[in-house]
Amino acid sequence: MKSHAKAVVIGGGVVGCSVLYHLAKAGWTDIMLIERSELTSGSSWHAAGGFHTLNGDPNVAKLQAYTVQLYKEIEEISGQSCSLHLTGGVMMADTPERMDFLRLAHAKGRYLGMDTELITPSEAKAMFPLMDETNFVGAMWDPVEGHLDPSGTTHAYAKAARKLGAEIVLRNRVVELTQEVDGTWNVVTEQGTVKAEHVVNCGGLWAREIGRMVGVELPVLAMEHMYLLTEPMPEVEEFNKSTGREMIGVLDFKGEIYTRQERNGILLGTYEKACKPWSPVNTPWDFGHELLQPDIDRIAPSLEIGFKHFPGIEKAGIKQIINGPFTFALDGNPLVGPVQGLTNFWCACAVMAGFSQGGGVGLALSNWMVHGDPGFDVWGMDVARFGEWATLRYTNAKVRENYSRRFSIRFPNEELPAARPAQTTPLYDTMLANNAVMGDSWGLETPLWFAPKGSEPKDIVSFHRSNDFGPIGEEVRATRERVGVTEIANFAKYEVSGPGAEDFLNRLMTNRMPKSGRIVLTPMLNEFGRLIGDFTIAKAGPSGGEDRFMIWGSSAAQKYHMRWFEKHLPKDGSVRIHRFDQTLVGLSIAGPKSRDLLQKLVDVDISTKAFRFMDFREMAVGGAPCMVNRITYTGDLGYEIWMAPAYQRLVYNAIKEAGEEFGLVDFGMRALLSMRLEKNFPTWFRELRPIYGPFEGSMDRFIKLEKNDFIGREAAAKEQAEGPKLRRVSFIVDAADADVMGDEPIWAKVGGKDYGTVEKPHGYGAPRFDAGGNEVRGSNAAEGASAVRGIVDGDWRVVGWVTSGGYAHYVEKSMAQGYVPAALAENESAGLFEVEILGHRRPARINVEPPFDPSGEKMRT
């Protein structure tokens, strides 16, 4: 074993071997993988080996599609077979709600270039005759599903990496990680110490233990997972003989099971409600190629439904039950990327779907390490997406919830209860007393909407407009016409100070920094000119003669942004950054009466001239020391009021008392998001993401190319000079009883013209066949006449995608934001666009000017 390496990958499962291969492919050959036992000794060896491309996050789905395409490549390089079986698969819906979910998934596939198809239960039965189709109302066919040999695939990655120059060291446990002053890591193993510039935690079942070596408690937990293998089945053998093909894979939402052919029998796995964590505190180092004791009673409810839905399987004998541990993060997606607060320590763990996602994870992480950027929008997998609240016990509760809901529908208005409340503000009990329906905002309880007195404060979950529709409308109208108050503790809050603070922020941000007492809005770009942040920045009064800036941003991106800030801090100590999190909380008042209300609570002049739009001032509000911004996300006259938690009840009670004469109402985050739609305001991680440039995101007025050489300036200047390929736009949609939720395809009547915005099909799919061996395409019996499979329909073409939207209650319009080709971005013609909602294409029209207060007069008054 060599004593020095550019990068050391810890862990020899499919993910570790993929990372090693991709680093070698990218040109890093001075790299090594260290494994405590043998390759695949954790979860990889006993995995069911299934793969698919569909994912709730379209950006993760892209990386899964890449993973599937990669297998032929590593087979050719390594000479090792992955034993690839590309059978295709179906998802079965037994209720109209689950069919709506499949329509959403099918629609997402349109702009990803996926060749999914909505089919009837009878068509599904023709490909999997073991089912009783009368239990289902429809299905979705995906040609890019199948299974492979987990061990062979892992070894194919490893052999390919070795051929490219990487080293693999087996039977050598890492026992300690320390870091030198120069950032070099000491990887201490049983066989000696390796000096490394980078360390990658691909520890799988031991990822927590590797994290603890550097003082990090990763939010990951192993769960017991069972699947069974049947004895050979005559029905399977007959189907194979008569058609010349394998049976397809099937996912049954109701039964929480998945099935596929395994040799001459069937593999059936479950994600049971009565799930069980494995080694919830510490993972034993001596665990290896062992299986856990099966517990068929625990999965009996799922099997009962499965045997009813697939009676052909019930008659088969059980040959073996596999029970082994797999690791999960809180939301079921991987933990990938650099760990905030550490230098060159990377994660690629909690990849429970390793044979669907392992290749994409390896590609993204290697890009990140070698080129400084993952090359994809990987926020759904970024290790920075969870905060300090994701403790060991919180993780245990959330992972169990996620596992038990693996095949459950997540409705757009559904708030999951496990581990809540975790963080609360001083107003939490007050909000509950006001009949608030609370939501989880980065671990913080936040009011979403207020149910009428006498009614239960609870969401009725649905893909359609639900019981919150009327109350949110009342909150919006009262705020627009009088005044409303909402809690905004869920914003990110930072203070940047020191003699170098202004230069530091000018280097990071695209806009000029404000003068003292003023506010600016500004994006932040990476080196490639892509949007990685969107902030409100105020220049506060000096502290000890040094500059001081207050910054507000997205709460969910706090660790993500701190990681970037820390990376670019000057080495001379001239800049300090403090993240407040919940040590600073806030309230916002908005509406035409908000100035009158606030004036009753302060002892200074806040008239239009004295306290202008985009002013910042420190003042006492209701007797409490506060910071006040004259700005709100509603786009109306309003104020953001920030205070220490100890003062929040005092300020809120003062607002409520003073607001009685003005007809003050409480409003929640859903009303706030409705009002921002009326102003065409974007949101972070929906409209503004690292896959878009600032001019694509229509952030032109905040990009000051002439101010200084900020990060990403050269790429932004090039984007402006060449013209953006896409543009963010706002639509008014002729919706019925359901509004957009995000990720819906946007159709345009553009004839045969191809604007090049829709990703082309990946070309790695399997056709489907009926029981007689005839290829079946395009019947669409389950889809309905209003939508057509594919990305082209006559003169209509899918040209873009929806990022977010909903109902704009004050202007009484269903609205959506999304990205379309720049050439179409200002075309407000009727009949040009349609947005697909739950399988139905609805007319839509671009609305260049915001429908509420297009001149901005109200917020500036």
Side-chain angles (χ1 to χ4, degrees), residues 215-420:
V216 174
E217 186 67 41
L218 291 170
V220 59
L221 176 71
M223 300 293 293
E224 293 190 15
H225 180 67
M226 277 181 280
Y227 62 87
L228 59 86
L229 302 172
T230 73
E231 298 285 357
M233 297 174 59
E235 300 94 327
V236 174
E237 294 175 347
E238 173 58 30
F239 180 86
N240 298 158
K241 182 179 179 181
S242 63
T243 66
R245 281 172 293 282
E246 274 187 85
M247 286 189 176
I248 63 171
V250 179
L251 187 154
D252 176 9
F253 291 109
K254 175 68 173 179
E256 298 159 339
I257 59 176
Y258 59 90
T259 70
R260 66 167 175 82
Q261 183 174 336
E262 175 68 16
R263 298 185 183 275
N264 294 326
I266 292 294
L267 179 152
L268 185 151
T270 72
Y271 283 90
E272 68 280 3
K273 296 294 185 189
C275 55
K276 183 179 179 181
W278 178 76
S279 289
V281 179
N282 296 289
T283 304
W285 287 106
D286 59 354
F287 184 80
H289 278 79
E290 297 107 308
L291 290 173
L292 308 177
Q293 185 66 32
D295 183 2
I296 198 165
D297 290 339
R298 200 168 78 238
I299 64 174
S302 293
L303 293 180
E304 183 178 350
I305 297 173
F307 292 154
K308 177 186 175 184
H309 288 185
F310 307 98
I313 301 177
E314 184 177 16
K315 298 177 291 183
I318 297 176
K319 181 170 68 174
Q320 186 180 10
I321 300 177
I322 307 293
N323 186 20
F326 289 89
T327 55
F328 293 77
L330 313 184
D331 56 5
N333 276 343
L335 301 172
V336 180
V339 175
Q340 187 249 318
L342 298 175
T343 305
N344 291 341
F345 185 84
W346 306 80
C347 276
C349 52
V351 190
M352 60 77 49
F355 295 97
S356 292
Q357 299 173 341
V361 167
L363 175 66
L365 190 66
S366 65
N367 284 341
W368 217 334
M369 295 174 69
V370 175
H371 304 298
D373 185 85
F376 304 89
D377 185 349
V378 297
W379 171 249
M381 301 190 298
D382 197 319
V383 68
R385 70 189 185 274
F386 299 117
E388 292 81 1
W389 38 267
T391 61
L392 191 65
R393 292 191 179 190
Y394 184 98
T395 297
N396 187 298
K398 274 301 185 187
V399 169
R400 283 186 287 124
E401 178 182 62
N402 177 269
Y403 183 99
S404 69
R405 292 177 48 87
R406 182 85 182 152
F407 291 156
S408 298
I409 295 173
R410 177 72 183 271
F411 291 94
N413 64 334
E414 185 173 14
E415 294 288 329
L416 303 182
R420 293 176 56 196

Side-chain angles (χ1 to χ4, degrees), residues 22-169:
H22 283 92
L23 284 173
K25 184 179 177 182
W28 283 15
T29 54
D30 182 20
I31 55 176
M32 63 192 306
L33 181 150
I34 300 177
E35 160 58 40
R36 50 174 280 283
S37 181
E38 307 292 337
L39 296 181
T40 77
S41 290
S43 298
S44 296
W45 75 273
H46 61 75
F51 61 81
H52 56 274
T53 57
L54 287 167
N55 188 284
D57 184 333
N59 299 292
V60 177
K62 294 176 187 177
L63 291 176
Q64 291 182 185
Y66 166 80
T67 299
V68 176
Q69 296 176 59
L70 181 66
Y71 290 132
K72 287 186 179 296
E73 175 183 311
I74 61 172
E75 281 183 331
E76 292 172 0
I77 294 174
S78 67
Q80 167 75 49
S81 172
C82 296
S83 190
L84 202 65
H85 297 251
L86 190 65
T87 61
V90 291
M91 292 183 175
M92 304 300 302
D94 66 306
T95 65
E97 290 78 15
R98 289 193 171 102
M99 199 62 217
D100 278 344
F101 174 79
L102 292 185
R103 291 188 181 99
L104 285 169
H106 176 55
K108 289 180 184 180
R110 292 192 195 279
Y111 67 80
L112 291 174
M114 294 181 179
D115 197 20
T116 60
E117 182 180 353
L118 297 177
I119 63 175
T120 65
S122 296
E123 290 175 307
K125 180 181 175 66
M127 295 180 281
F128 195 83
L130 302 176
M131 75 169 64
D132 177 357
E133 76 277 20
T134 64
N135 291 294
F136 304 104
V137 299
M140 184 175 74
W141 160 254
D142 179 11
V144 190
E145 289 189 19
H147 59 97
L148 44 67
D149 171 26
S151 179
T153 301
T154 304
H155 282 275
Y157 278 121
K159 289 179 179 179
R162 279 193 177 112
K163 286 192 173 183
L164 294 174
E167 179 181 350
I168 296 177
V169 180

Side-chain angles (χ1 to χ4, degrees), residues 700-731:
D700 308 42
R701 67 184 183 278
F702 306 118
I703 314 301
K704 310 300 183 185
L705 294 173
E706 70 284 358
K707 76 179 182 77
N708 66 283
D709 187 24
F710 57 84
I711 295 171
R713 179 189 176 280
E714 184 177 339
K718 182 179 180 182
E719 181 192 355
Q720 184 190 50
E722 295 179 353
K725 295 179 180 179
L726 305 173
R727 287 289 273 188
R728 174 177 64 88
V729 296
S730 183
F731 288 96

